Amino acid sequence: MDKLIITAAITGAATIPSLSPYLPLTPQQIADSAIEAARAGAAIVHIHARRPEDGFPSSDPAHFREILTKIKAESDVVICVTTGGSAMMTVEERAAVVPTFQPEMCSFNMGSINFALHSALKYLKEFKYPWEKAYLEMSKDFVFKNTFKDFDYLCDITRANNTKPELEIYDVGHLYNVDHLASEGKMQPPFHLQFVMGVLGAIRGTPEDLIYLHTKAETLFGANNFTWSVIGVGAAEINLSTMAIHMGGHVRVGLEDNIYISKGKLAKSNAELVEKIVKLADLLGRDVATPADARRILGLKGLDKVNF
Ligand code: KMH
Ligand code: ZN
């Protein structure tokens, strides 16, 4: 079994600032939190940007540049930049980070889904920033758009910049989309699949759902033609991580996906969530990958080839 690659998803766009005072918002906070997560054992950090003044999801290259250069100055961690951004951005805005920064990795969302956040309105009554309440309400009508036209665009720019796409699989049909693009010669194995489980609008985070996605990927691609990782959104995080460590997959944790370190107790940092996975890996007898191990396992181009 390969060493375990832990990805830390630092801030995202779905977690709103009022959900946790520990969510990093400014470029400095996001970079510091990523560096700390890397020191705790994350081999990859997944990066979104936010407007420093109010934490609203940002696609501004200046915000990304500040975050990426600060991380690179302090750490050799692999940086996987989002092209998912938020459902309020156009695909062109979301994907601009790839030609601009030519990162080693980027997310590549493999299908359109409803991406609903409105259930947080049931328990969240006070908001830190004016945009947050409307953002949750509007998500009831959000479609997170990732069409075949968008796939073509992302295939072109990831290939042109030698950026390894992390294929975000929110449901089983998304595996068939990968297969379709591969059959057209637009994507080549080995694929790196990220099973995103527990978003309201897509597959849930149950054990049988993970087994099903994994089995279907093996059937479609063959066991040697893909690596995989899992995101358990919310409460599913630790259970699905345990399964993935045991099954030879990799794990993503972080405040983008889950704000709790244990039942009802907020995680104080991304590093704390990473440390929990490091302990779990140790208990289950799996070694944790360094950034150099992750580059070898995933076949990445190297930090000297990025443009920041
Ligand atoms: N927020 C996650 C559920 C992306 O950034 O492209 C999915 C994600 C997508 O991380
Ligand atoms: Zn993301």
Side-chain angles (χ1 to χ4, degrees):
M1 216 181 259
D2 274 328
K3 289 185 183 177
L4 174 71
I5 301 173
I6 304 173
T7 298
I10 305 301
T11 188
T15 311
I16 60 163
S18 294
L19 284 169
S20 169
Y22 306 111
L23 187 71
L25 302 180
T26 68
Q28 184 72 55
Q29 288 168 353
I30 293 168
D32 286 346
S33 186
I35 294 161
E36 208 196 339
R39 291 194 181 124
I44 303 177
V45 288
H46 170 73
I47 298 297
H48 288 244
R50 291 178 184 269
R51 272 194 322 228
E53 60 275 19
D54 63 358
F56 189 77
S58 165
S59 59
D60 185 338
H63 295 151
F64 276 99
R65 185 177 304 283
E66 193 179 340
I67 297 167
L68 303 182
T69 52
K70 281 183 197 297
I71 298 172
K72 189 171 162 233
E74 299 273 331
S75 172
D76 68 345
V77 70
V78 175
I79 299 176
C80 174
V81 187
T82 183
T83 66
S86 89
M88 320 272 293
M89 299 169 193
T90 65
V91 173
E92 288 72 23
E93 283 170 332
R94 287 160 38 185
V97 286
V98 178
T100 308
F101 301 112
Q102 301 169 9
E104 288 182 89
M105 290 183 84
C106 69
S107 62
F108 187 135
N109 292 279
M110 284 312 313
S112 302
I113 54 164
N114 293 331
F115 202 127
L117 310 169
H118 62 279
S119 37
L121 287 163
K122 280 194 209 118
Y123 55 90
L124 204 54
K125 297 293 167 215
E126 282 175 26
F127 295 91
K128 224 177 194 161
Y129 298 109
W131 61 269
E132 294 179 284
K133 187 164 185 260
Y135 190 75
L136 296 185
E137 282 166 354
M138 280 158 58
S139 76
K140 205 168 186 178
D141 201 29
F142 272 168
V143 175
F144 183 36
K145 176 186 167 296
N146 298 286
T147 61
F148 280 91
K149 185 170 171 223
D150 302 332
F151 300 155
D152 282 356
Y153 179 57
L154 273 171
C155 284
D156 288 347
I157 60 173
T158 49
R159 192 180 316 103
N161 293 287
N162 196 10
T163 296
K164 172 113 180 176
E166 176 187 280
L167 307 177
E168 314 295 322
I169 308 295
Y170 298 78
D171 232 318
V172 68
H174 299 183
L175 288 172
Y176 289 104
N177 292 348
V178 174
D179 192 49
H180 177 78
L181 293 176
S183 75
E184 289 192 322
K186 292 176 177 167
M187 257 182 197
Q188 280 81 31
F191 309 115
H192 184 52
L193 309 175
Q194 182 72 265
F195 299 135
V196 189
M197 305 182 65
V199 170
L200 180 58
I203 208 162
R204 280 203 183 159
T206 70
E208 68 264 29
D209 286 323
L210 178 57
I211 301 286
Y212 183 56
L213 289 177
H214 180 250
T215 307
K216 185 55 72 180
E218 280 196 335
T219 309
L220 286 172
F221 311 129
N224 295 326
N225 289 324
F226 70 98
T227 47
W228 65 279
S229 173
V230 72
I231 301 171
V233 174
E237 184 172 87
I238 193 68
N239 303 55
L240 293 176
S241 298
T242 310
M243 286 180 69
I245 296 169
H246 183 59
M247 290 165 66
H250 303 283
V251 168
R252 174 172 126 175
V253 293
L255 297 170
E256 172 166 348
D257 307 317
N258 164 45
I259 54 172
Y260 295 104
I261 190 69
S262 56
K263 207 169 178 181
K265 192 172 167 217
L266 289 176
K268 292 210 164 67
S269 65
N270 282 294
E272 200 182 2
L273 292 162
V274 171
E275 279 158 14
K276 187 169 168 183
I277 300 299
V278 171
K279 279 189 203 137
L280 190 58
D282 186 47
L283 282 172
L284 294 171
R286 183 116 178 249
D287 292 334
V288 172
T290 62
D293 293 324
R295 288 188 170 92
R296 179 181 44 75
I297 295 166
L298 300 175
L300 305 181
K301 65 181 175 181
L303 202 46
D304 54 330
K305 306 262 180 354
V306 301
N307 186 34
F308 53 88

